Amino acid sequence: MSPTTQTVGKRFRLKDDAEVTKATQKLRLLKKLKCTLKYEKLAWAGGAKLVAGVDEVGRGCLFGPVVAAAVILKPDYRIRGLRDSKLLDRKTREKLAPRIRENCVAWAVAAVDVATIDAINIYWASKKAMEAAVAQLAPVPDHLLLDAMRVNFECDQTAILHGDAPSPPPPSSRKSSATP
């Protein structure tokens, strides 16, 4: 914990005496992270040709399915404004979605229902949704950029902490590498 914060129950007191929740602190951190192609460039430098970004939505939700998306973006096309969807308003997300689909090599979406989440828990359901989304990609990726996990798929993978913030959303070796 930084010297400018103090824990107060489940809230944090900042130096200026404002109390914020852990979720608010995380959102502030995500906003500070710069979205770059750092992990994609590392994968390309390692010989990868088709790098897929994979992420889920709905993991923090109490009701409803967990949905995952996988996308292989064209290396030579940058989609301006693309970043973690939690940091974008609905209008911006709806504007970017068709641009992503039109300017990518491949994309896929998969969902895992509530009954399955209840049976195997949200972590495993998120992982299952990610694996299903990746399995639908054609062409098949040779490197995956994932948000803080490794999935059962035969290719190199890079697990990135807060993965969709520093790397464009929907990243070595066969082993996973976590990055702060």
Side-chain angles (χ1 to χ4, degrees), residues 154-168:
E154 284 300 318
C155 75
D156 292 340
Q157 301 180 25
T158 304
I160 309 169
L161 189 59
H162 305 306
D164 48 5
S167 186

Side-chain angles (χ1 to χ4, degrees), residues 3 5 17 20 23 32 34 42 46-47 55 77 79 83-84 90 103 105 109 112 114 132 137 141 145 149 153:
T5 62
D17 260 1
V20 295
K32 289 179 186 177
K34 186 174 177 171
L42 287 171
D55 199 16
Y77 186 83
I79 300 174
R83 61 179 301 148
D84 186 341
R90 182 180 182 153
N103 296 288
V105 174
V109 175
V112 172
V114 176
L137 290 174
L145 305 178
M149 75 168 50
F153 193 80

